[in-house]
Amino acid sequence: MIFVAGPFMWLAMSSFPTRLLEGYQSFMSGRYTAERNRYRDLAEAGQEPHTLVIACCDSRAAPETVFDCGPGELFVVRNVANLVPPYAPDGNFHSTSAALEFAVQSLKIRQIVVLGHGRCGGIKAALDVDAAPLSPGDFIGQWMGLLKPAAQQIKDSVLLTSGERQFALEHISIRNSIANLRTFPCVKILEDRGKMALHGAWFDISTGELWVMNSQTGDFSRPETSLA
Amino acid sequence: MIFVAGPFMWLAMSSFPTRLLEGYQSFMSGRYTAERNRYRDLAEAGQEPHTLVIACCDSRAAPETVFDCGPGELFVVRNVANLVPPYAPDGNFHSTSAALEFAVQSLKIRQIVVLGHGRCGGIKAALDVDAAPLSPGDFIGQWMGLLKPAAQQIKDSVLLTSGERQFALEHISIRNSIANLRTFPCVKILEDRGKMALHGAWFDISTGELWVMNSQTGDFSRPETSLA
Amino acid sequence: MIFVAGPFMWLAMSSFPTRLLEGYQSFMSGRYTAERNRYRDLAEAGQEPHTLVIACCDSRAAPETVFDCGPGELFVVRNVANLVPPYAPDGNFHSTSAALEFAVQSLKIRQIVVLGHGRCGGIKAALDVDAAPLSPGDFIGQWMGLLKPAAQQIKDSVLLTSGERQFALEHISIRNSIANLRTFPCVKILEDRGKMALHGAWFDISTGELWVMNSQTGDFSRPETSLA
Amino acid sequence: MIFVAGPFMWLAMSSFPTRLLEGYQSFMSGRYTAERNRYRDLAEAGQEPHTLVIACCDSRAAPETVFDCGPGELFVVRNVANLVPPYAPDGNFHSTSAALEFAVQSLKIRQIVVLGHGRCGGIKAALDVDAAPLSPGDFIGQWMGLLKPAAQQIKDSVLLTSGERQFALEHISIRNSIANLRTFPCVKILEDRGKMALHGAWFDISTGELWVMNSQTGDFSRPETSLA
């Protein structure tokens, strides 16, 4: 690990982003002041989040914002397109699997939500028939390869509009992540015992609507319409 | 993809978490209503986040909260202990590398913040000398293995208290992630040209303090003291 | 044409349905009384409906109800699944083509809406993989055969839930009917001259929502959300 | 399926008709709000309409309006002049036969009403001695050909006024449709068993009068006079 100072311009860029420092000041004078004791307690007692959320990196779909959750509530994994890879104890490092294991085994979280969203760039990339790799490493191509069979099937659904194909794969991807969660023995066993609940949800950035997955059919609908 | 209905308790658990639905209602009547047009614009025009944040899954350290950022500002990767693995174009899927590639190559983000925090469970696990795997897959063990040489050295620093060892590895880990970011050609080349800025920050859950890394020395300090 | 009186039970059934006579009395004392002059004028001057609606026979999706339209407004074709067959001047009788010709050539209607709806039994039949003919004539099988290639493609989309497959084919069918409308020279020529507008809409029986087709992309969305 | 954007005027015409959107808003705030639960139930449980109505496309004679029927009551076929073709299991697609089959075999409807009306344009076309085809396909000519022998006989009844000839053929056409209904084995068998009732009715647009066919004589009369 080496820190090499770059040329002048780099130095100019090296101070911490002003926008973030201002935001932090706002946090300190606002939320933190209001919830000071809660933060202290959370630090002392440790976190006991009620839900693991697997969400997308997208800047418009932060789970704490969509669910208006405060500190200590959500343990959050965020990767491109909210994917969960299948269980693969192969000795490689697996970011999402590690977080899942930590959430379930160490934090004893018993409620998992896979949160997808509309206009997902990862899903769009998976459906792009002419996509060239973004870089020689093609990391996005490899990562979205987790959805490859589904993406191929949807690409072939030429009677759907491009918007409908995107919508469909966003929903399929959530179901796929949930199915992959069940390949992890710790999840499967707990669910079979009635001690673990897996949920899917999809956030429409444009309208602000939250669509919730019916656990039995896999269909998505808005809770205000489906729950009445 | 098969949806198998479980026993009675599971059925009872299958409805979407009430807490999250209530939070969503609060979001809709609050922030969404206030920022409706911004959400519409973000949906139409696409996201243009100014910063990629690599943060921890910890429920107490959400970057949108700490930096009080609104929709569209932060593209966020969250994994256990905010790690970045080194560049490894090996054809496997890499969650964090994929998100990094997408952020830099597709979204043209030119500012990256690695945000660590105090009392990090992942760092604690890496320092636990008696740690047994959390599950047969030992995903956390493998994942935190990315910090293995550093963790070993800190474990051996017996003159430090356990609190100091934790504090030290949390900071080392941030510097390590930044060093690994530089192993990605797309990051390195842009930084060398003065077009990419890499930052580190560390959030103290207990006091709400934000410590910012000095890009040249790697030291962490509170901005109100360092900037004053 | 022969009227053969049946046995006793049949005679008992031969009086006009009471429910309909009561409904008619209600119409006479209500709407007809309120709109007596309008009915007289419509009878004298002839109808000048502003829109041709091609809708489904379904009892829950009457266009006059959904669009709250009065006498003289909508010229309405209703067949199973609101299908339009392609132009086929083959000397056979074609119910829908005849109505289309009459609407465009004789009544000079310049606005056509294909109105589909959720939970359509015809679409469901088209997707039923195990469907046996309803009768030896298999008229529904033949009729829904107009959607055969689309239905087959959607049947093969096994990653969609059955609800999503139904939803998708309902929308595809509307677009298909609109595409087939364009195979009629009288429609195509007028549209090319900017004198004919073709629209799609989909009615959700359960929620009462109307989804409107974007004429350029073919996507469906609720007007309150898409029009803002 | 290709969506080709037309010239400027067409683009201007491409937004959904305002009159229909307003009507829909009226439906939502009126009838739908009043019958919300009924719509939900109808969506969940499926439709169980009590009557199949075969009616004309005419904008002035919607059966839901004339019979003041609500959602779920009437399964409605509408074609020009409310015709039923004779049973012809020839492998071609038959709009009306398909709807009839679906109504009787799938929905188990046991009551059918053929609803004609005054000033019917289709009947008028069938009686027009100088009629040129409306388009090269002559779909109306072919369709009204289902009434050809009757129309020819009435045309030759030179002692009737043109108004009387129109009136006569409108009634004959209803009886003809009923007779053709009986050529369908599924209808005939049920009727012979006393389990199916076939009715005729004729609506006078000008006066609002409903004339009901006497099932035994085929005569039409107003129910208030015949039932009194």
Side-chain angles (χ1 to χ4, degrees):
Chain A
M1 183 180 46
I2 304 163
F3 288 91
V4 180
F8 179 75
M9 269 192 69
W10 181 80
L11 287 175
M13 295 181 73
S14 70
S15 60
F16 202 79
T18 307
R19 172 70 191 93
L20 298 185
L21 288 179
E22 288 170 354
Y24 168 67
Q25 293 297 345
S26 168
F27 161 72
M28 277 307 279
S29 59
R31 173 158 240 163
Y32 181 78
T33 298
E35 303 198 70
R36 186 187 304 266
N37 292 336
R38 177 153 175 71
Y39 274 99
R40 291 238 170 102
D41 292 349
L42 281 169
E44 293 307 317
Q47 61 177 331
E48 291 188 52
H50 51 71
T51 306
L52 162 62
V53 181
I54 296 156
C56 182
C57 299
D58 194 288
S59 64
R60 303 162 294 182
E64 288 85 358
T65 305
V66 171
F67 294 126
D68 195 27
C69 277
E73 293 199 80
L74 307 179
F75 189 79
V76 177
V77 174
R78 290 178 72 177
N79 59 41
V80 172
N82 39 274
L83 302 186
V84 176
Y87 181 67
D90 55 11
N92 289 323
F93 58 87
H94 294 283
S95 166
T96 305
S97 304
L100 173 63
E101 183 186 77
F102 190 79
V104 174
Q105 301 292 69
S106 178
L107 297 175
K108 310 293 180 197
I109 295 179
R110 295 293 177 260
Q111 189 164 264
I112 305 178
V113 172
V114 177
L115 175 66
H117 68 95
R119 308 187 188 230
C120 179
I123 296 292
K124 189 157 184 289
L127 286 173
D128 188 346
V129 287
D130 305 318
L134 287 175
S135 78
D138 191 23
F139 293 106
I140 276 289
Q142 296 294 334
W143 177 247
M144 295 310 300
L146 284 167
L147 269 184
K148 198 164 194 176
Q152 191 55 52
Q153 189 180 106
I154 295 299
K155 274 187 209 178
D156 293 342
S157 299
V158 293
L159 295 176
L160 300 178
T161 67
S162 68
E164 287 169 345
R165 285 195 291 271
Q166 170 93 14
F167 189 82
L169 191 56
E170 285 167 0
H171 289 192
I172 288 168
S173 170
I174 294 168
R175 291 194 292 264
N176 194 57
S177 287
I178 290 174
N180 283 344
L181 283 173
R182 292 195 172 108
T183 64
F184 286 78
C186 64
V187 172
K188 181 74 174 75
I189 289 167
L190 285 166
E191 193 188 30
D192 284 350
R193 292 182 185 159
K195 295 188 171 164
M196 169 67 81
L198 307 182
H199 300 283
W202 178 90
F203 177 66
D204 183 331
I205 289 168
S206 178
T207 62
E209 288 176 0
L210 185 76
W211 295 51
V212 168
M213 195 187 80
N214 180 312
S215 298
Q216 289 176 288
T217 66
D219 287 314
F220 285 78
S221 61
R222 281 166 288 143
E224 57 266 62
T225 55
S226 68
L227 295 179
Chain B
M1 184 181 42
I2 302 164
F3 289 89
V4 180
F8 179 76
M9 269 192 69
W10 181 81
L11 286 175
M13 295 179 75
S14 71
S15 61
F16 202 80
T18 307
R19 171 67 191 94
L20 298 185
L21 288 180
E22 287 170 354
Y24 167 68
Q25 293 296 343
S26 169
F27 160 73
M28 275 307 277
S29 57
R31 171 158 239 161
Y32 180 78
T33 298
E35 302 199 67
R36 185 187 302 266
N37 291 336
R38 177 153 176 70
Y39 274 99
R40 290 238 169 105
D41 292 349
L42 282 169
E44 293 305 319
Q47 61 177 330
E48 292 189 52
H50 51 69
T51 306
L52 161 62
V53 180
I54 295 156
C56 182
C57 299
D58 194 288
S59 64
R60 304 162 294 183
E64 288 85 359
T65 305
V66 172
F67 294 127
D68 195 26
C69 277
E73 292 200 79
L74 307 180
F75 189 79
V76 177
V77 175
R78 290 178 73 177
N79 59 42
V80 171
N82 38 275
L83 303 186
V84 176
Y87 181 66
D90 56 10
N92 288 324
F93 59 86
H94 294 283
S95 168
T96 305
S97 304
L100 173 64
E101 183 186 79
F102 190 78
V104 174
Q105 302 291 70
S106 179
L107 297 176
K108 311 292 182 197
I109 296 180
R110 295 293 176 261
Q111 190 163 264
I112 305 178
V113 172
V114 177
L115 175 66
H117 68 96
R119 310 190 186 229
C120 177
I123 296 292
K124 188 158 185 288
L127 287 172
D128 188 346
V129 288
D130 304 319
L134 287 175
S135 78
D138 191 23
F139 293 106
I140 276 290
Q142 297 294 336
W143 177 247
M144 294 312 299
L146 285 166
L147 269 185
K148 199 162 192 179
Q152 192 54 54
Q153 191 179 109
I154 296 298
K155 277 188 206 176
D156 293 343
S157 301
V158 293
L159 295 180
L160 298 178
T161 67
S162 72
E164 285 167 346
R165 284 198 291 272
Q166 170 93 13
F167 189 82
L169 191 57
E170 284 167 1
H171 288 192
I172 289 168
S173 170
I174 294 168
R175 289 194 294 265
N176 194 56
S177 286
I178 289 174
N180 282 344
L181 282 174
R182 292 196 172 106
T183 65
F184 285 78
C186 65
V187 172
K188 182 74 174 77
I189 291 168
L190 284 166
E191 194 188 29
D192 285 349
R193 291 181 185 161
K195 294 187 171 164
M196 169 68 81
L198 308 181
H199 301 281
W202 178 89
F203 176 67
D204 183 330
I205 289 166
S206 178
T207 63
E209 287 176 0
L210 185 77
W211 294 50
V212 169
M213 193 187 81
N214 180 309
S215 297
Q216 290 177 288
T217 65
D219 287 316
F220 284 79
S221 61
R222 281 169 288 148
E224 53 268 65
T225 53
S226 70
L227 292 180
Chain C
M1 183 180 46
I2 304 163
F3 289 91
V4 180
F8 179 74
M9 269 192 70
W10 181 81
L11 287 175
M13 294 181 75
S14 71
S15 61
F16 202 80
T18 308
R19 173 69 192 93
L20 299 186
L21 288 180
E22 288 170 353
Y24 168 67
Q25 293 297 344
S26 168
F27 160 72
M28 276 307 278
S29 58
R31 172 157 238 163
Y32 181 78
T33 298
E35 302 198 68
R36 185 187 304 266
N37 292 336
R38 177 153 175 69
Y39 274 99
R40 291 239 169 103
D41 293 349
L42 281 169
E44 293 307 318
Q47 61 176 330
E48 292 189 51
H50 51 70
T51 306
L52 162 63
V53 181
I54 295 156
C56 182
C57 299
D58 194 288
S59 64
R60 303 163 293 182
E64 288 84 359
T65 305
V66 171
F67 294 126
D68 196 27
C69 277
E73 293 201 79
L74 306 179
F75 189 80
V76 177
V77 174
R78 289 179 72 177
N79 59 41
V80 171
N82 39 275
L83 303 186
V84 176
Y87 181 66
D90 55 10
N92 289 323
F93 58 87
H94 294 283
S95 167
T96 304
S97 304
L100 174 64
E101 184 186 76
F102 190 78
V104 174
Q105 301 292 69
S106 178
L107 298 175
K108 310 293 181 196
I109 296 179
R110 294 293 177 261
Q111 190 163 262
I112 305 178
V113 172
V114 177
L115 175 65
H117 68 95
R119 309 188 188 231
C120 178
I123 296 291
K124 189 157 185 288
L127 286 173
D128 187 346
V129 287
D130 304 319
L134 287 175
S135 77
D138 191 22
F139 293 106
I140 277 289
Q142 296 294 335
W143 177 247
M144 294 311 300
L146 285 167
L147 269 185
K148 198 164 193 176
Q152 191 55 53
Q153 189 179 106
I154 295 299
K155 274 187 209 178
D156 293 342
S157 300
V158 293
L159 295 177
L160 300 179
T161 68
S162 69
E164 287 170 345
R165 284 195 291 270
Q166 170 93 14
F167 188 81
L169 191 56
E170 285 167 0
H171 288 192
I172 288 168
S173 171
I174 293 168
R175 290 194 292 262
N176 194 55
S177 286
I178 290 174
N180 282 345
L181 283 173
R182 292 196 172 108
T183 64
F184 286 78
C186 65
V187 171
K188 181 74 174 74
I189 290 168
L190 284 166
E191 193 189 30
D192 284 350
R193 291 181 185 160
K195 294 188 170 163
M196 169 67 82
L198 308 182
H199 300 282
W202 178 88
F203 176 66
D204 184 330
I205 289 168
S206 178
T207 63
E209 288 177 358
L210 185 76
W211 295 51
V212 168
M213 194 187 81
N214 180 312
S215 298
Q216 290 176 287
T217 65
D219 287 314
F220 285 77
S221 61
R222 282 167 287 143
E224 55 268 62
T225 55
S226 68
L227 295 180
Chain D
M1 185 181 41
I2 304 165
F3 288 89
V4 181
F8 180 75
M9 270 193 69
W10 181 81
L11 286 175
M13 296 179 75
S14 69
S15 61
F16 202 79
T18 307
R19 171 69 191 93
L20 299 185
L21 288 180
E22 288 170 355
Y24 167 68
Q25 293 296 344
S26 169
F27 160 73
M28 276 306 277
S29 58
R31 172 158 241 161
Y32 180 78
T33 298
E35 303 198 68
R36 186 186 301 267
N37 291 336
R38 177 152 175 70
Y39 274 99
R40 291 237 170 107
D41 292 349
L42 282 169
E44 292 306 319
Q47 61 177 330
E48 291 189 52
H50 51 69
T51 306
L52 162 63
V53 180
I54 296 156
C56 182
C57 299
D58 195 288
S59 63
R60 303 162 295 182
E64 286 86 358
T65 305
V66 171
F67 294 126
D68 195 27
C69 276
E73 292 199 80
L74 306 180
F75 190 80
V76 177
V77 175
R78 290 178 73 177
N79 58 41
V80 171
N82 39 274
L83 303 186
V84 177
Y87 181 67
D90 56 10
N92 289 323
F93 57 86
H94 294 282
S95 166
T96 305
S97 304
L100 174 64
E101 182 186 79
F102 191 79
V104 174
Q105 300 291 71
S106 178
L107 297 175
K108 311 291 182 199
I109 296 179
R110 295 293 178 259
Q111 189 164 264
I112 305 178
V113 172
V114 177
L115 175 66
H117 67 96
R119 309 188 187 231
C120 178
I123 296 292
K124 189 158 183 287
L127 287 172
D128 187 346
V129 287
D130 304 318
L134 286 175
S135 78
D138 192 23
F139 294 106
I140 276 289
Q142 297 293 335
W143 177 247
M144 294 311 300
L146 285 166
L147 269 185
K148 199 165 192 176
Q152 192 55 54
Q153 190 178 108
I154 295 299
K155 276 189 209 177
D156 293 342
S157 300
V158 293
L159 294 179
L160 297 178
T161 67
S162 71
E164 286 167 346
R165 284 197 291 272
Q166 170 93 12
F167 189 81
L169 191 56
E170 284 167 1
H171 289 193
I172 288 168
S173 169
I174 294 167
R175 290 193 293 264
N176 194 57
S177 287
I178 290 173
N180 282 344
L181 283 173
R182 292 194 173 107
T183 64
F184 286 77
C186 64
V187 172
K188 182 72 174 76
I189 290 168
L190 284 165
E191 193 187 29
D192 284 351
R193 291 182 185 159
K195 295 189 171 164
M196 168 68 81
L198 307 181
H199 300 283
W202 177 90
F203 176 66
D204 184 330
I205 289 167
S206 177
T207 63
E209 287 177 0
L210 186 77
W211 294 50
V212 169
M213 194 187 79
N214 181 310
S215 297
Q216 290 177 286
T217 66
D219 287 316
F220 284 78
S221 61
R222 280 169 288 147
E224 52 268 66
T225 52
S226 68
L227 293 180

